[in-house]
Amino acid sequence: MPATSTTDPLQRERDHLAASRAALRAMREDVESLDIRDVTGTWVTALVLQNQIEARIAALADLSHTPLFFGRLDYLHAISEELSEGSGGESFYIGRRHVHDADGDPMVIDWRAPVSQPFYRASRTDPMDVDRRRRFGYTGGELTAYEDEHLSDPAETDSASALLAAEIEKPRVGPMRDIVATIQPEQDEIVRSDITGTICVQGAPGTGKTAVGLHRVAYLLYAHRERLARTGTLVIGPNNAFLSYIEQVLPALGELEVAQATVQQLVGHVEVRGEDDPEAARLKGDARMAEVLRRAVRSGIALPTEPCVVVRGSRRWRVPVYELVEIIEELKGRETRYGAARDALPQRIAHAVLLKMEQGGEAPDDRVQDAVARNSAVKAVVKECWPAVDPAKLVLRLLSEPEFLAACAEGVLTPEEQRAVLWPKPGRSVKTARWTAADAVLVDEATDLVQRTPSLGHVVLDEAQDLSPMQYRAVGRRCTTGSATVLGDLAQGTTPWATASWPEALRHLGKPQAHIEELTKGFRVPEEVIAYASRLLPAIAPGLAPASSVREAPGSLTIRRIADGAAEGDTDTDGGTTGDAAGTEAVLAACREALEHEGSTGLIAADARVPRLAEALTAAGLPYLSPGDETSAEARLTLVPASLAKGLEYDYVVLDEPAAVVAGEPDERTGLRRLYVALTRAVSGLTVLHREPLPEQLR
């Protein structure tokens, strides 16, 4: 690495940062100056090359407030040849992307490169040939501090990294940040897992499972760039607010081509305008519906009753009924996609005709077979025996006609269950029917039964615990030949069909051999907060081990009971009026108190209470955002319905009336899980306000 003449270590590091930024700028200018006019053969190749150049320019952007490097490794000996980097005594700066100088020598090493791995995994018990690990501290993009760990010095004792703690605890304004500078060894193992296997991460709140999943995508794109460029990658989140929150993580790591979607967007074959009651939604999400749909798709297959007679010129070729039956039965038995079998049927009949033509002394070729397959007599047999299926129309009929549903669900759904999934008012057409979210998943299943869904190379599925078996199948169809990273927390399952166990979920996903990892050590949520929330675990997820946190923050948890005329707390007393007005005043006071601190504040409340609180915030002159809106220095308060809080983080959280959060769900366990989610969104401080008694587990 280049050296400078100054003896001030901090200034030397600043000089290297400036030189690295200049080198990155030169790399970008080199790409911008490329002239492809003389190297492109056609306008198509010119367009492809231009798109590649523009993508490269975007990837080389220097984000002024994002550190170009965050660490440095000083090795004791030369790096092994298979890592192809360096020699003894050299230092490697670890950053978000690779940067080289005019001679091609590396100035910053990509965090995903093998030589960077010891930055995350080296320890005094296993230094991995690292003499010194240096971490850097930044303020507003400027390098302001550094901290060294001498891993090969037995006299140096273990101590917590102050810069690492400061980075973890840094106030959150704007979308979710990457954790590339703070990845822990157990997280790094997941990030660098092989692409050929699916991995499932059970992660308690604050363990960074979402960030781990996103960094895994970035790592796989680095290690398997060409493969994933062909097959594609996808990040699936629970809602658009969540996707908006995480959307800047991958671009900050130099990855711009990863698609994002919700499950509902994946299955958007029909417009969702209706809503199921909980029982209907649960049944429609049951894996048994896959068999009902399979029967429905194949219900139109019929055996022929008349032979197929093909006329060509002056000759007539006859395929008897029994041969047609054999062909159709054989196709049915192969369990191929309905549409693929329907496409194969005319060719199979045409082949039978060609055999008869050869026996008659003719010498037909493939062109003759194709012509016979298009013959009107053959088309008539296909139309009668293997009719075309429109998936949406099929599901419309299934949910509208009791007799058809009964025929397809016999022995699979009970009569009571059949009545529960039928629409109260039959749909008249695909466009006018009031499709529900669960119906759309059924249409997607039917679509795949007719024509195979293309598979991606890798899919990240976050907040997976809330998916139904049929939704898992929908996601699994998108990675049948690829791999997946499944992220979730069983304790945060808040749907009536929430996942009971990960092996069961992975079976529905089509990845029963997936490896399951558990993250229980939290880095985001303070120990006081996570310990309080974990009191709910025996009631909501008895099999899960309680989470712990490496961060102790005395005073991070405040619980205040709002009495008539006052808000009484363990350390504070706030004046107020009586009744519900007292609760509103206490909420406003708590929000103002939280906003006195640096960072973001989330006001989380039961969905039914959100409109009332919105009015109160407006009347009090407190501007607020909706989930998914990007916070800024001027707007740091977000009003969050409890149903949308999952996956989001705020520096400070004010939780309004836990009892109302629980009561807003169809059953107590789901309500307590929703409360568990709300309690674990805070990074620095949580204030719980209540007039109604707290749930028994929290008293």
Side-chain angles (χ1 to χ4, degrees):
M1 292 298 170
T4 58
S5 57
T6 179
T7 58
D8 179 6
L10 182 59
Q11 186 57 48
R12 286 203 303 269
E13 302 296 13
R14 287 172 173 165
D15 291 344
H16 187 78
L17 176 62
S20 299
R21 289 198 183 280
L24 179 61
R25 187 162 53 251
M27 291 169 64
R28 183 184 174 99
E29 290 170 353
D30 286 345
V31 180
E32 291 174 333
S33 65
L34 288 175
D35 186 350
I36 62 173
R37 288 176 295 181
D38 297 331
V39 298
T40 55
T42 67
W43 69 270
V44 175
T45 55
L47 183 62
V48 170
L49 281 174
Q50 188 59 42
N51 288 339
Q52 290 177 342
I53 288 173
E54 290 175 359
R56 178 67 173 162
I57 291 171
L60 289 171
D62 185 3
L63 307 177
S64 59
H65 292 290
T66 301
L68 194 55
F69 57 79
F70 48 81
R72 175 178 139 185
L73 291 176
D74 297 343
Y75 278 92
L76 287 168
H77 304 96
I79 304 301
S80 63
E81 290 184 2
E82 65 182 26
L83 295 180
S84 69
E85 298 280 5
S87 60
E90 271 196 307
S91 300
F92 296 90
Y93 288 83
I94 312 302
R96 286 169 170 76
R97 60 156 300 105
H98 176 84
V99 179
H100 60 256
D101 61 16
D103 297 325
D105 294 326
M107 301 188 71
V108 180
I109 302 294
D110 195 302
W111 66 275
R112 297 167 288 188
V115 74
S116 302
Q117 185 171 322
F119 182 79
Y120 301 108
R121 299 198 190 181
S123 64
R124 286 185 178 81
T125 56
D126 182 15
M128 300 177 72
D129 203 45
V130 173
D131 178 32
R132 176 174 61 183
R133 172 168 52 204
R134 174 169 287 181
R135 301 182 189 273
F136 297 106
Y138 288 82
T139 302
E142 294 296 321
L143 200 163
T144 55
Y146 70 87
E147 178 183 77
D148 287 341
E149 294 175 85
H150 297 278
L151 302 180
S152 60
D153 185 357
E156 187 169 313
T157 59
D158 286 317
S159 60
S161 168
L163 289 181
L164 184 64
E167 178 65 25
I168 291 173
E169 297 171 11
K170 188 181 294 182
R172 279 151 174 72
V173 175
M176 180 181 181
R177 297 197 308 265
D178 63 71
I179 63 165
V180 64
T182 63
I183 292 174
Q184 301 298 300
E186 62 271 25
Q187 296 172 326
D188 190 63
E189 288 184 16
I190 296 171
V191 167
R192 298 176 193 264
S193 297
D194 189 73
I195 191 174
T196 57
T198 289
I199 188 165
C200 174
V201 181
Q202 158 62 41
T207 54
K209 57 183 178 297
T210 295
V212 166
L214 296 175
H215 285 68
R216 175 157 164 73
V217 172
Y219 171 77
L220 293 177
L221 285 167
Y222 173 88
H224 307 278
R225 178 75 60 186
E226 292 186 5
R227 174 176 175 177
L228 291 179
R230 293 193 308 270
T231 56
T233 52
L234 175 66
V235 174
I236 302 174
N239 50 56
N240 287 323
F242 177 84
L243 294 179
S244 297
Y245 179 60
I246 69 171
E247 66 182 355
Q248 294 303 317
V249 173
L250 289 167
L253 299 172
E255 300 299 342
L256 307 173
E257 303 299 323
V258 180
Q260 295 183 349
T262 64
V263 172
Q264 208 53 52
Q265 290 166 344
L266 285 185
V267 300
H269 308 285
V270 293
E271 182 182 358
V272 174
R273 298 188 299 161
E275 188 172 342
D276 284 311
D277 62 62
E279 179 61 12
R282 184 188 67 80
L283 287 169
K284 289 177 181 179
D286 194 301
R288 292 176 295 166
M289 288 301 297
E291 174 60 20
V292 175
L293 287 166
R294 190 193 71 82
R295 294 180 185 181
V297 167
R298 291 175 163 259
S299 63
I301 299 176
L303 297 178
T305 57
E306 296 181 357
C308 177
V309 179
V310 176
V311 178
R312 283 186 59 81
S314 61
R315 305 195 66 174
R316 295 159 60 90
W317 305 98
R318 181 175 181 273
V319 182
V321 171
Y322 77 89
E323 285 192 30
L324 295 175
V325 170
E326 288 177 356
I327 292 171
I328 292 172
E329 291 285 11
E330 195 271 336
L331 285 174
K332 284 175 61 178
R334 289 172 60 183
E335 291 291 333
T336 56
R337 293 296 195 281
Y338 185 91
R342 188 175 190 274
D343 292 340
L345 180 55
Q347 290 290 336
R348 298 293 294 275
I349 297 174
H351 180 69
V353 172
L354 258 64
L355 291 178
K356 298 182 185 302
M357 294 173 71
E358 291 172 350
Q359 292 169 359
E362 297 190 13
D365 57 17
D366 290 344
R367 290 174 298 175
V368 174
Q369 179 168 330
D370 290 339
V372 172
R374 296 191 299 269
N375 185 274
S376 58
V378 175
K379 288 183 176 180
V381 173
V382 174
K383 183 178 180 180
E384 176 187 355
C385 298
W386 209 288
V389 168
D390 181 304
K393 289 182 178 178
L394 180 82
V395 177
L396 176 76
R397 181 187 174 196
L398 191 70
L399 300 178
S400 300
E401 299 180 13
E403 296 81 8
F404 183 52
L405 176 60
C408 297
E410 183 179 1
V412 180
L413 301 179
T414 66
E416 293 77 14
E417 290 174 328
Q418 294 174 31
R419 286 192 291 272
V421 300
L422 281 168
W423 284 340
K425 184 178 180 180
R428 305 183 73 177
S429 71
V430 170
K431 288 188 176 181
T432 62
R434 292 185 60 80
W435 297 99
T436 68
D439 297 336
V441 180
L442 299 182
V443 174
D444 189 70
E445 179 84 22
T447 301
D448 185 71
L449 288 167
V450 174
Q451 203 70 42
R452 184 183 298 277
T453 303
S455 175
L456 296 163
H458 192 78
V459 170
V460 173
L461 175 61
D462 205 353
E463 300 297 345
Q465 72 280 345
D466 275 340
L467 268 60
S468 70
M470 292 299 287
Q471 288 175 318
Y472 276 115
R473 291 174 62 88
V475 174
R477 286 191 281 277
R478 272 75 185 178
C479 55
T480 50
T481 59
S483 56
T485 301
V486 181
L487 312 165
D489 181 8
L490 297 179
Q492 296 185 57
T494 52
T495 56
W497 49 85
T499 300
S501 72
W502 290 122
E504 177 187 347
L506 293 167
R507 180 170 53 83
H508 294 310
L509 189 70
K511 307 290 184 183
Q513 304 304 319
H515 179 62
I516 300 175
E517 289 279 355
E518 187 170 2
L519 295 177
T520 59
K521 186 185 295 183
F523 303 92
R524 305 296 188 199
V525 184
E527 175 64 26
E528 292 78 3
V529 174
I530 196 66
Y532 182 70
S534 293
R535 297 182 188 181
L536 297 173
L537 286 179
I540 62 177
L544 286 186
S548 62
S549 176
V550 298
R551 295 176 52 228
E552 291 189 2
S556 57
L557 175 65
T558 301
I559 304 181
R560 296 176 181 164
R561 180 177 178 275
I562 304 168
D564 289 345
E568 299 174 356
D570 44 7
T571 57
D572 301 280
T573 301
D574 300 284
T577 60
T578 59
D580 194 62
T584 302
E585 285 299 319
V587 168
L588 296 176
C591 289
R592 292 190 183 97
E593 183 180 324
L595 290 169
E596 291 176 0
H597 302 281
E598 185 182 1
S600 59
T601 294
L603 169 55
I604 304 178
D607 291 28
R609 295 173 64 87
V610 166
R612 183 186 311 161
L613 292 173
E615 291 180 6
L617 290 171
T618 301
L622 284 174
Y624 64 91
L625 305 168
S626 298
D629 294 343
E630 187 171 327
T631 56
S632 64
E634 294 74 29
R636 297 184 291 118
L637 174 63
T638 303
L639 177 56
V640 188
S643 62
L644 296 181
K646 195 170 298 178
L648 305 180
E649 283 183 346
Y650 301 94
D651 289 291
Y652 295 89
V653 167
V654 176
L655 176 58
D656 169 68
E657 201 59 81
V661 174
V662 176
E665 300 298 328
D667 60 80
E668 184 184 35
R669 190 186 74 161
T670 303
L672 291 174
R673 286 182 168 184
R674 184 76 72 190
L675 177 58
Y676 181 76
V677 171
L679 287 169
T680 54
R681 300 305 94 198
V683 175
S684 297
L686 169 67
T687 299
V688 179
L689 303 174
H690 70 101
R691 288 179 59 216
E692 299 295 325
L694 291 171
E696 181 180 351
Q697 294 83 354
L698 296 180
R699 295 175 196 168

